[in-house]
Amino acid sequence: MGLLSDPNRRRALINLLTRLNAPICGMPVEWLVKTMQARGLEVYTQRFSRTLPFPDENKERYMVKGTNVYGILRAPRAPRTEALVLSAPCTPGDNNNQAVGLLLGLAQYFRNQIYWAKDIIFLVNDHDLIGMQAWLEGYHHTNTTGMDWSPLQGRGGSIQAALSLELSSDVVTSMDLVLEGLNGQLPNLDLANLFYAFCQKIGVLCTIQGKLQRNDWDSVSGYSHAVQTMMLMVMKQASGRPWGDHGLFLRYHIEAATIKGINSFRQYKTDATTIGRLLEGMYRKLNNLLERLHQSYFFYLMPSLSHFVSIGYYMPAFGLLAVILLLRALDLWVQLATPPPTTEDGIADIEQSSPGVLSVLTPLVISHLTGAALYMLPIRFQEMAVEHFPVSETEAVVLTAIAVYTAGLALPHNTHRLLSGEGTEQGWRVLKLVALLYLAVLLGCTALINFSLGFILALTLVPAAAFVTPHVPKVLSAFVLVILSPACTLLFSVFFFQELQEMPVSFLDGWLLYLSVISQGILDHFLYGSLVYPLIALLVYPCWLLFWNILFWK
Amino acid sequence: MSKYAAAQKQAEPAVLQPTPQPKDDFQEELVVRPLHSGDIYASFQFRTLWETDFMRGNKVSHYRLFPKSLGQVISKFSVRELHISFTQGYWRTMQWGQPYLPSPPGAELWVWFQDSVTDVDATWKELTNVLSGIFCASLNFIDSTNTVQPSASFKPLGIGNVTDHRFLRYATLPREIVCTENLTPWKKLLPCGSKAGLAVLLKSEKLFHSSFHSQAVHIRPVCQDWQCKTTSWELRQTLNVVFDLHNSGQGKREWSLFKMFSRTLTEACPLASSSKIYIDITDNPEQFELSPATSLLSQAMVLGDRRTFSVYDLTQQDTFGSVRSLNLLIRWKSTEGDMLRPLLHAERYVAGYGLQTGEIHTLMYNHHPYRSFPVLLLDSVPWYLRLYIHTLTVTSKGKDNKPSYIHYQPSKDRVRPHLLEMLVQLPPNSVTEVTVQFERALLKWTEYTPDPNHGFYVGSSVISSLVPSTVAMDTNSTRERPLFSSFFPCKEESSYFVRVYTEPLLVNLPTPDFSMPYNVICLTCTVVAVGYGSLYNLLTRSFQIEEPSPGLAKRIANVIRKMRGVPPL
């Protein structure tokens, strides 16, 4: 690796980095353009603007306007068909100056090398994910989220792989790999292996989920450490949000990961040159690829950086959960098919055997309408809510969502008002059969796309679905059913996630966090096209309402 | 026959003269152009002219300067014009301006056949195979699935009046990688090989340590003299290379022949009638300085621009000076970085995501401030991208731009590619965008390449145009020229021909997991071997109760009993 061996280059890089410690972010577009041009890159800019559906209180932004700057290093004697991307978000403040500096340093170093076979795009994206979304949409000329962007002038062909660099502090002790992308998509496992191999080679401490690998696998504490790491990955994947700028690349079939420099206050410090060597090594490996990364797994969970649990191991666990639903459905099917014992008069039997389409269809339609309301109303009614209540827009959206959700609990009464007669014994069985099959299909599909989300939903919904009948004690069952509802699952997940991260929160903080998680989930959907919010609102919640309906069947 | 007779007649008086005039002629030339970006562009041209007739059963057996291998190709396959280029890299129009000879990345071959050829497709197939051998390239991969017959984009460059495009074949191989093995046979076609003349500079270790490398061979019939009574064959071998300032400059902005080619020049090729080096000094002396200086200057109209060149004649001994070696040195002064605005410029990309559909966008830029001009766009798309031609749109400045001519030949699966040719008028100072949607076909499993996850290539689009010249664009060009010459723009200078190639595309097709069949085969074999094998074993084996072998004492006892004649135990 030449970067460290050449003292001149090393000095130049350090000079650049020290100069960058002066706050440059807030995107000094002209400076970046000039600096990249001086390094012999083809430089282009892209302007974009986006008005959020409601203000994002976490990042304090509402009407976003920004400029992405990217420079393309043209590989010699390459026909512009393939490219690699190295990106660094340039956030307001000087959070990521080190990463931008390192990116420019690497650009200068890479420019003087002759071995590049793929164009390398150095991208400094404004407003982190929004800028990245604008750039990717511009590059692929798609518009999935209704953002305004100016068309890109220069391209490098089909992007093969991408890395996003975040160095949040000046002192870096370890490098953390972030894999979880939009909708729980993961890059090919070989990208993680590549990172791990180079960290081992260069001697950088590397972590995943911020957790170091431990060697004592057989001990209880080592095992629980690995489980903790894996559960963190499960929670992050289930959230369906991009956990770094790389997350948006995955939609375009581009293998991508975020590399974060972390200051965990250890003795051993990693300087920028070492990180540069790490990146140089990774890019040279990626540059040598003849095909896209495809040989390894796309579906995996990682209990540590060097170990993974493949889909073949974790899917049976989910399968066993889903089988409960199918067995229950089969049981109901058999019960419905066998005529009830004719101890009583035959007239009731005839009535019972034909529950009528209406008694099944009505709850189905009403619960889905409630779901649609949960999906539509929070955004639509934010202005009205702000006018009438002393809340901000964000609070209005979240509280409307919770209000609609809670209002849905009154559904059984409404259903019964619509239904002409009383619900029959057969009626709830048919409804439950439909609901069970519905849930099985729903969870099955979800688990195929985003295993973690499907698994967490299955863990809570399957017991509820299995036990609920109109004949169980009402109050207790209602309480259990509410506890196992998707919203409460989310609440527990928030606390559980904080616990896993070893940052326990008080109940009040947890509640506030919960509210912000809901708003973030809604924003993720509208900004990046995350599917978790519509999935919960339009499908999972109505399905849960069906079971709620069965409990209060009359 | 008449042509041949005419040639004979011309040759007759030559017999009478003591030194017969050779009917062939060889010229070599190197043009060096310091580029705006700080890179340097070197273009070699070697031209062999031969007044002969390969056609009509005329057996030509005596070759002097013209390479025999190519002569035989011309006569055997009745070739009227042949253009072949091998290019590694993409010409960066925005930084380098227009090249002298454009070529697309990979290999490109287009041939006009004589109208006497009856089965053009079969001849074409044979020809590509022969050329594949001559140039050591994978031209044998040219078949009907990547060959098209453009109706308007590729006209014959030599003399002749056959323009029926049934006799034209055009194919590109965007994936072809060009390296030393293609350069060596190309160099062997030169009369002096790489032993003398400009060709000594062609060392592959330097030529392939560059940003762009392109070598080509053009064969065409040209007029022998201005009256055009007789035709002769012209073989033009060209080699274009762009050296990168950053990669080899080590920070110093300085170029020399030695630095570029790791050789200096000591002599011209003895067989050459002319051997010259041209250095483009139009931007001199603001941007660079040149040494040794020469007093020989030449002006030429190149690509619509009036350029001034310093000329070094290698046939003159004093060019080499006292050290008997010529090493030109260019010292660079300018700063780099800002982009050019070439009048015509194009780019292309695939839009969309997912492996089902996509959209090809072709952008054509007209940077002329006030003149519009028409361009011919040629697109040849492989059949496995199924173009939805009803989605074809051409827009400029946000408005629909209706092409005045469209020639579309739909593809046939596994037989022929899509061919789309359009004549589009580019409004001044505008971007014209051509979009067409496509669906990715699912190939049969044997049709995938060995590296299917690399993607499949779609060749460059070709944009041919007559571009208004920059000289004509210059409204107050009265500086150099006398007033009487500058009122009406001169015809020759008013426009010039440009061909622009876009980048090739790399498209991913839906690809099955090829390791899965392997796994299935392994699993099936195991199941068959273990399951079926053991079951078969059980069914076919006949079981017998085997007596336990008697102990040693018993055996000895039996032997004794046998000897005694008593039945054994």
Side-chain angles (χ1 to χ4, degrees), chain A residues 193-214:
Chain A
N193 294 339
L194 178 65
F195 172 75
Y196 180 64
F198 262 96
C199 284
Q200 293 295 99
K201 188 175 174 190
I202 296 177
V204 181
L205 276 184
C206 53
T207 60
I208 189 162
Q209 320 298 349
K211 302 223 181 264
L212 267 180
Q213 185 177 336
R214 284 170 58 156

Side-chain angles (χ1 to χ4, degrees), chain A residues 248-428:
Chain A
L248 299 172
F249 281 94
L250 298 169
R251 177 200 291 269
Y252 301 93
H253 190 22
I254 300 165
E255 308 314 320
T258 297
I259 296 179
K260 276 186 179 163
I262 289 184
N263 182 9
S264 45
F265 306 101
R266 285 198 180 77
Q267 282 290 312
Y268 185 82
K269 298 202 174 28
T270 308
D271 61 348
T273 322
T274 317
I275 305 171
R277 282 172 63 204
L278 173 73
L279 289 170
E280 183 202 3
M282 290 184 73
Y283 272 89
R284 285 188 71 170
K285 286 276 180 193
L286 292 171
N287 175 58
N288 291 343
L289 280 182
L290 292 179
E291 300 184 69
R292 280 170 188 280
L293 288 173
H294 70 282
Q295 292 286 8
S296 194
Y297 289 88
F298 285 96
F299 299 97
Y300 53 87
L301 295 171
M302 300 195 83
S304 81
L305 249 184
S306 57
H307 291 74
F308 72 99
V309 180
S310 84
I311 184 169
Y313 288 97
Y314 64 60
M315 223 43 190
F318 174 81
L320 289 177
L321 276 174
V323 148
I324 298 175
L325 295 177
L326 295 180
L327 287 178
R328 213 80 182 91
L330 192 67
D331 177 36
L332 280 172
W333 177 255
V334 172
Q335 281 182 25
L336 284 168
T338 50
T342 52
T343 48
E344 295 172 28
D345 55 322
I347 307 156
D349 287 350
I350 295 163
E351 262 186 353
Q352 281 192 345
S353 61
S354 57
V357 181
L358 206 63
S359 68
V360 179
L361 208 59
T362 317
L364 262 179
V365 170
I366 291 186
S367 58
H368 277 91
L369 285 178
T370 320
L374 178 59
Y375 178 67
M376 315 271 265
L377 293 188
I379 298 293
R380 290 282 166 83
F381 282 180
Q382 52 167 317
E383 280 177 25
M384 208 206 279
V386 169
E387 272 178 31
H388 291 88
F389 301 98
V391 285
S392 70
E393 277 96 342
T394 318
E395 285 168 334
V397 170
V398 175
L399 294 177
T400 316
I402 294 177
V404 173
Y405 190 94
T406 323
L409 299 186
L411 175 69
H413 311 288
N414 301 332
T415 318
H416 297 317
R417 208 169 295 153
L418 276 178
L419 283 176
S420 51
E422 282 199 344
T424 57
E425 194 70 7
Q426 292 285 72
W428 75 260

Side-chain angles (χ1 to χ4, degrees), chain A residues 503-516:
Chain A
M503 287 191 289
V505 286
S506 68
F507 185 78
L508 190 65
D509 289 346
W511 175 254
L512 291 178
L513 201 56
Y514 174 66
L515 296 184
S516 88

Side-chain angles (χ1 to χ4, degrees), chain B residues 161-264:
Chain B
N161 44 16
V162 180
T163 52
D164 185 350
H165 66 269
R166 280 185 298 128
F167 298 104
L168 169 65
R169 291 293 180 277
Y170 173 82
T172 53
L173 295 173
R175 227 195 151 158
E176 181 70 17
I177 289 168
V178 184
C179 203
T180 321
E181 80 249 28
N182 306 107
L183 182 67
T184 311
W186 184 89
K187 279 199 288 196
K188 282 188 180 159
L189 300 175
L190 295 171
C192 289
S194 50
K195 304 279 190 301
L198 290 173
V200 295
L201 299 178
L202 303 175
K203 292 291 167 198
S204 53
E205 80 266 18
K206 280 292 182 187
L207 289 184
F208 291 104
H209 187 158
S210 57
S211 292
F212 176 84
H213 170 95
S214 168
Q215 61 189 63
V217 171
H218 302 278
I219 300 172
R220 60 177 180 174
V222 292
C223 291
Q224 175 66 26
D225 44 25
W226 65 274
Q227 286 172 312
C228 212
K229 275 184 183 161
T230 57
T231 60
S232 51
W233 287 88
E234 183 198 64
L235 164 69
R236 210 184 260 255
Q237 284 179 258
T238 64
L239 190 142
N240 295 294
V241 62
V242 175
F243 293 101
D244 189 348
L245 179 76
H246 273 86
N247 285 350
S248 38
Q250 299 285 333
K252 264 195 205 165
R253 291 162 175 264
E254 190 176 287
W255 288 106
S256 66
L257 279 188
F258 187 77
K259 205 161 171 184
M260 283 191 270
F261 303 105
S262 73
R263 291 287 184 288
T264 55

Side-chain angles (χ1 to χ4, degrees), chain B residues 57 178 187 204 209 253 283 320 332 344 361 375 378 381 388 419 472 521 543-544:
Chain B
V178 184
K187 279 199 288 196
S204 53
H209 187 158
R253 291 162 175 264
D283 302 328
F320 298 102
W332 207 253
L344 176 63
H361 286 237
V375 295
L378 168 81
V381 180
Y388 292 158
L419 170 68
I521 290 168
F543 292 93
Q544 290 177 341

